[in-house]
Amino acid sequence: MTKKEKPKKNSSQKKTYKGIVDVTRTGMAYVTVEGLASDILVKQKNIGSALDGDEVLVDVIGNGKSRGRTEGYITDVLKRKKTEFTGTIQLSKNFAFLLPDKGAFMPDIYIPENSLKGAKDGDKAVVKIVAWGEKTRKPVGEILEILDASDTNDQAMKEILVESGFPLNFPDEVLEELATIEESISASVIKDRKDFRKILTFTIDPVDAKDFDDAISIRKLKSGLYEVGVHIADVSHYVEPSTALDKEAERRATSVYLPDRVLPMLPEKISNELCSLRPHEDKLTFSAVFQMDEKGVVKQHWIGRTVIHSAHRFTYEEVQEVIEKGEGPYLQEVLLLNNMAQTLRKKRFKDGAINFSSQEVRFQLDATGKPIGIMVKESKEAHQLIEEFMLLANRTVAEYVSKQKAANKQPVPFPYRVHDTPDEEKMHVFAVFANKFGHKFDVSNPESIARSFNQLLTDVKGKPEQHVLETLGIRTMAKAIYTTENVGHYGLGFEHYCHFTSPIRRYPDVLVHRIVAQCLAGDIKVDKQLEKRCKHSSDMERKAMDAERAGNKYKQVEYMQQYIGDTFEGVVSGVAHFGFWVETVDTKCEGLVSIHNMDEVFRHSEEDYALVGQQTGRKIRIGDKVTIRVVAASLAKRQLDYDLVENGGGNTEKRSTATTGRPAPSYKPGRPSKPKDKSKARKKKK
């Protein structure tokens, strides 16, 4: 920032804040500061080298007001949201520029000749910034990868990952360290573990899964009780603290699931080989083992490191067939586990868990990655079997650690998975809206809210308002995060909860394993940076969800391109002052209907979640069934545009396919719009 750019200031009045910068497409920025009621406005000339999503220091001078808003200027960038970008190469004689494709107000990136790696003019490339050009504002980069222009799907998916801040490849030092890991399991390692290799153990996963991070064992004890083991891949045995592998896993914090690929948190040698609980192989695990009666009542439990040998790899579909037909491999064991799981599930809802359900999408892709079909995945008993035992293990581990004390007699810092109680104001608005459909909602306390939600979810099944009330109900809920402050998990109804069961794809689970091992050994090492690690993991989880939504949206748009001009039945899924979103009933693909294409002027009624016609009083409300025509499908914008077909209008043939849903995008009030798709991302377990 030059002297002439810096606003005049009185140093005695200067206030410095730390926050996240949100750069709009116009170049104006807003810095969100935790604890401040409103964002800090930063004009384009005062942004410096900060880019959208960076963590920055911002100074506010005097009263810092500009047209009623607090105004400041950015003095330093503390943490970059991302360092890799995609774009188009513009080649000159001895250097080049990368013209970025995505990102709000992103400057061109200068690439010296020795960093071009053979790139040609017009090539698409991934570039890593190596110097940020504080004075010139032109960052300097080097080409990491030249994208294959002929493979549009691969190029699009890689752009989504880079755009969300995930590196496409592992650094050399990680791969070098990976090569030194001992692959065989020595006798000395096994002797310090409880041996489950002779006990019936199997995995249950999606048909296309490659990383099997959990397994279940079962046997009948002499006491008449059943021993059920929840065995989780012991990633912490291979990934030790402060190693290159560990630092990279922490940086990524999560695997990312796109329609045609997984970007793993850990290299495939670990995620798909060493730690994956593949059948007929000895594997190291960390386990929660329960003694239960046939009704699923836990009498006692044990937590510790184990070694297992999976006898069978089930898919969810295979287990569901065993349950429904009463025949197949390990029939009695599967049926017994299913009965236990259903008992656990009923008790969980009785104790206050909220029975929200969501549909997930699966795309059928051809060899080039093009979607040729779309399916809706349902949560059946096979999924619930795994879910309930994973929830039991997660809760039991969290309860165990919550009772431990560090050397200072204080509770052990631990990465809990928490879900706060709903916001009172949001709940009141939702209760008023639900009442318009005849559903009473008790918002007097959190327990009553949970009971009311479950009653409502039961009452609305099959009714016209089911979709709107389920969708809006989910939106009133707080977001689950990782934190050392244990406030419980409201949605699950658990006082203590953590993520223990997926360390291959989630870094907090690795941290949980390490802390549990310390507690068991009586050698607790307090991590003073744990809350910071929790926040980073929560942030990266949100970025992964954004990437997964973008990938799904891309495939939905690509699929709907063939239906331009066709009409579909749909449901209004969101409203805004400029239009409303419609999700097609059969394809579950969401597009925007602009009010500029309507026959009258509409105003946005927030309390009714509706647009209201100023001439006729007609309401277009979330949950309404409508007919739309597909008018545009932009892959570049990942956007579908629809027109409303009025009742009785439109003679175009109606199409029918299958896919999953999209809640409405959200927009930040009081600033230029930056749409963000808010659908639920694919996740195997909670």
Side-chain angles (χ1 to χ4, degrees):
M1 184 178 293
T2 64
K3 289 183 179 178
K4 69 177 182 179
E5 290 175 320
K6 193 174 293 186
K8 293 179 182 180
K9 60 184 184 293
N10 180 339
S11 61
S12 64
Q13 295 179 306
K14 184 178 76 171
K15 292 183 180 178
T16 301
Y17 297 96
K18 180 171 70 173
I20 304 298
V21 63
D22 176 6
V23 185
T24 69
R25 291 185 176 90
T26 64
M28 196 79 79
Y30 299 82
V31 177
T32 303
V33 178
E34 191 173 343
L36 286 189
S38 61
D39 298 343
I40 299 169
L41 169 69
V42 180
K43 293 178 179 177
Q44 182 179 328
K45 65 180 181 179
N46 297 324
I47 292 175
S49 69
L51 302 178
D52 187 57
D54 289 348
E55 184 178 14
V56 299
L57 292 179
V58 58
D59 281 359
V60 174
I61 305 303
N63 63 15
K65 296 292 182 180
S66 175
R67 297 180 183 178
R69 296 196 69 111
T70 303
E71 185 179 352
Y73 66 94
I74 291 171
T75 59
D76 196 11
V77 177
L78 302 177
K79 183 181 178 183
R80 295 286 180 183
K81 176 186 177 182
K82 54 192 256 190
T83 60
E84 296 178 11
F85 300 85
T86 59
T88 304
I89 296 294
Q90 187 181 72
L91 194 62
S92 296
K93 187 175 181 180
N94 299 316
F95 62 90
F97 283 102
L98 181 88
L99 311 183
D101 294 325
K102 308 287 182 185
F105 202 73
M106 175 70 198
D108 299 343
I109 301 170
Y110 173 79
I111 304 169
E113 186 177 21
N114 61 358
S115 299
L116 283 172
K117 296 186 178 178
K120 299 180 181 66
D121 191 57
D123 280 351
K124 289 276 191 176
V126 181
V127 167
K128 180 177 182 179
I129 293 182
V130 294
W132 287 89
E134 300 291 340
K135 294 181 180 179
T136 64
R137 294 196 72 243
K138 291 291 186 187
V140 180
E142 63 178 9
I143 291 179
L144 295 180
E145 182 178 350
I146 299 170
L147 300 177
D148 182 0
S150 66
D151 191 342
T152 54
N153 172 72
D154 184 62
Q155 182 174 294
M157 295 300 110
K158 285 179 176 177
E159 286 175 351
I160 286 169
L161 290 167
V162 173
E163 180 186 331
S164 300
F166 289 92
L168 299 180
N169 300 296
F170 288 94
D172 290 342
E173 59 267 25
V174 171
L175 300 179
E176 290 167 5
E177 188 174 278
L178 185 65
T180 67
I181 291 180
E182 178 61 48
E183 296 187 33
S184 60
I185 302 173
S186 67
S188 61
V189 169
I190 290 176
K191 73 177 179 61
D192 293 329
R193 294 169 177 260
K194 186 171 280 192
D195 195 338
F196 278 77
R197 287 178 293 178
K198 294 183 180 179
I199 299 171
L200 174 62
T201 304
F202 47 77
T203 59
I204 307 174
D205 288 280
V207 65
D208 55 354
K210 294 184 177 66
D211 56 337
F212 312 138
D213 49 13
D214 57 77
I216 291 183
S217 68
I218 183 168
R219 65 170 172 170
K220 190 169 186 178
L221 302 174
K222 292 179 180 179
S223 63
L225 296 174
Y226 293 90
E227 179 191 79
V228 178
V230 178
H231 307 286
I232 309 302
D234 191 357
V235 173
S236 62
H237 173 81
Y238 297 97
V239 181
E240 298 183 356
S242 301
T243 57
L245 265 169
D246 180 52
K247 290 175 182 177
E248 182 65 13
E250 180 175 7
R251 181 163 78 104
R252 296 176 180 232
T254 181
S255 296
V256 187
Y257 294 83
L258 298 186
D260 69 333
R261 71 194 65 198
V262 177
L263 183 73
M265 180 182 79
L266 293 161
E268 289 190 2
K269 183 178 178 181
I270 289 181
S271 59
N272 292 0
E273 296 177 28
L274 293 179
C275 289
S276 186
L277 307 183
R278 301 186 297 193
H280 315 303
E281 297 179 11
D282 289 355
K283 293 292 180 180
L284 301 179
T285 45
F286 216 132
S287 306
V289 183
F290 304 92
Q291 289 189 19
M292 314 171 74
D293 63 22
E294 60 184 11
K295 294 182 179 180
V297 177
V298 177
K299 302 298 184 179
Q300 64 181 73
H301 69 267
W302 174 88
I303 300 170
R305 280 186 151 129
T306 53
V307 58
I308 67 165
H309 189 95
S310 174
H312 193 76
R313 180 263 204 264
F314 278 110
T315 66
Y316 284 122
E317 291 77 12
E318 290 168 345
V319 170
Q320 189 63 33
E321 193 169 314
V322 171
I323 292 170
E324 291 178 359
K325 294 185 176 180
E327 58 185 38
Y330 307 111
L331 172 64
Q332 296 307 317
E333 290 83 0
V334 169
L335 293 179
L336 177 60
L337 287 168
N338 183 53
N339 289 335
M340 289 177 171
Q342 289 303 314
T343 304
L344 289 168
R345 186 175 177 83
K346 288 175 184 175
K347 183 178 186 304
R348 186 161 59 82
F349 293 135
K350 183 180 178 182
D351 291 345
I354 300 175
N355 191 14
F356 280 123
S357 60
S358 62
Q359 294 176 324
E360 295 182 6
V361 66
R362 175 178 289 170
F363 295 89
Q364 292 176 293
L365 306 174
D366 66 15
T368 67
K370 183 178 180 179
I372 55 176
I374 315 175
M375 299 177 295
V376 174
K377 295 189 295 180
E378 296 180 70
S379 176
K380 296 186 176 181
E381 285 177 278
H383 300 85
Q384 294 164 8
L385 188 162
I386 285 295
E387 180 180 38
E388 293 305 323
F389 281 107
M390 297 306 120
L391 291 174
L392 177 62
N394 287 336
R395 182 184 66 183
T396 302
V397 167
E399 286 177 348
Y400 165 72
V401 176
S402 72
K403 297 173 183 176
Q404 307 303 306
K405 300 293 182 184
N408 57 5
K409 304 302 181 184
Q410 294 298 309
V412 177
F414 188 65
Y416 292 98
R417 179 70 168 180
V418 307
H419 181 233
D420 212 344
T421 51
D423 178 85
E424 287 185 16
E425 187 175 338
K426 285 184 179 179
M427 281 309 311
H428 177 72
V429 172
F430 177 75
V432 170
F433 184 71
N435 192 51
K436 293 180 180 181
F437 293 92
H439 301 286
K440 292 185 178 180
F441 221 86
D442 185 350
V443 297
S444 58
N445 57 64
E447 293 75 21
S448 298
I449 290 172
R451 283 196 298 271
S452 295
F453 259 126
N454 283 333
Q455 187 61 52
L456 179 142
L457 292 169
T458 300
D459 293 344
V460 299
K461 280 205 178 297
K463 294 185 178 179
E465 68 269 23
Q466 177 180 353
H467 177 84
V468 58
L469 290 176
E470 285 181 341
T471 301
L472 292 176
I474 290 172
R475 291 183 199 172
T476 64
M477 293 288 106
K479 299 290 184 270
I481 61 170
Y482 300 105
T483 178
T484 56
E485 184 182 349
N486 183 22
V487 298
H489 198 295
Y490 177 72
L492 293 174
F494 293 157
E495 184 179 353
H496 309 284
Y497 190 66
C498 71
H499 275 167
F500 169 77
T501 52
S502 292
I504 288 177
R505 64 182 181 88
R506 295 187 303 223
Y507 191 72
D509 301 54
V510 179
L511 295 175
V512 164
H513 282 214
R514 289 173 181 164
I515 295 170
V516 172
Q518 292 174 12
C519 291
L520 292 171
D523 182 23
I524 298 169
K525 300 177 177 65
V526 173
D527 182 356
K528 295 181 180 179
Q529 299 297 312
L530 188 56
E531 182 60 30
K532 184 178 179 181
R533 299 186 207 281
C534 286
K535 184 180 185 304
H536 173 72
S537 292
S538 297
D539 291 343
M540 295 306 290
E541 178 185 44
R542 284 191 290 273
K543 291 176 184 177
M545 290 174 70
D546 287 342
E548 290 162 6
R549 292 177 190 127
N552 283 347
K553 189 67 176 182
Y554 182 92
K555 288 300 171 190
Q556 288 178 334
V557 173
E558 187 177 17
Y559 184 76
M560 292 295 280
Q561 281 182 325
Q562 63 190 305
Y563 297 123
I564 301 294
D566 290 348
T567 59
F568 292 83
E569 297 303 316
V571 175
V572 177
S573 55
V575 295
H577 63 90
F578 48 81
F580 58 97
W581 289 269
V582 175
E583 181 186 85
T584 55
V585 172
D586 291 330
T587 67
K588 305 291 183 185
C589 292
E590 187 183 70
L592 177 68
V593 178
S594 172
I595 59 170
H596 299 299
N597 297 331
M598 303 288 287
D599 292 335
E600 65 175 309
V601 177
F602 285 80
R603 65 175 178 84
H604 183 205
S605 173
E606 292 189 18
E607 64 273 13
D608 286 332
Y609 300 95
L611 289 170
V612 182
Q614 293 190 1
Q615 286 79 37
T616 63
R618 172 192 179 187
K619 286 186 178 181
I620 298 172
R621 187 166 59 180
I622 291 180
D624 286 351
K625 291 185 176 180
V626 295
T627 301
I628 57 89
R629 179 179 292 108
V630 183
V631 295
S634 171
L635 280 176
K637 296 179 180 178
R638 302 179 206 128
Q639 180 177 307
L640 290 168
D641 291 322
Y642 298 155
D643 272 349
L644 185 66
V645 178
E646 301 294 346
N647 291 338
N651 298 317
T652 314
E653 179 187 358
K654 292 181 182 179
R655 303 282 184 174
S656 179
T657 53
T659 179
T660 193
R662 274 289 163 289
S666 69
Y667 290 81
K668 298 178 182 176
R671 69 180 71 173
S673 299
K674 291 183 67 179
K676 294 181 181 177
D677 198 347
K678 290 288 183 185
S679 67
K680 291 182 74 64
R682 178 172 82 86
K683 283 287 177 288
K684 186 173 68 172
K685 289 122 188 155
K686 291 180 182 176

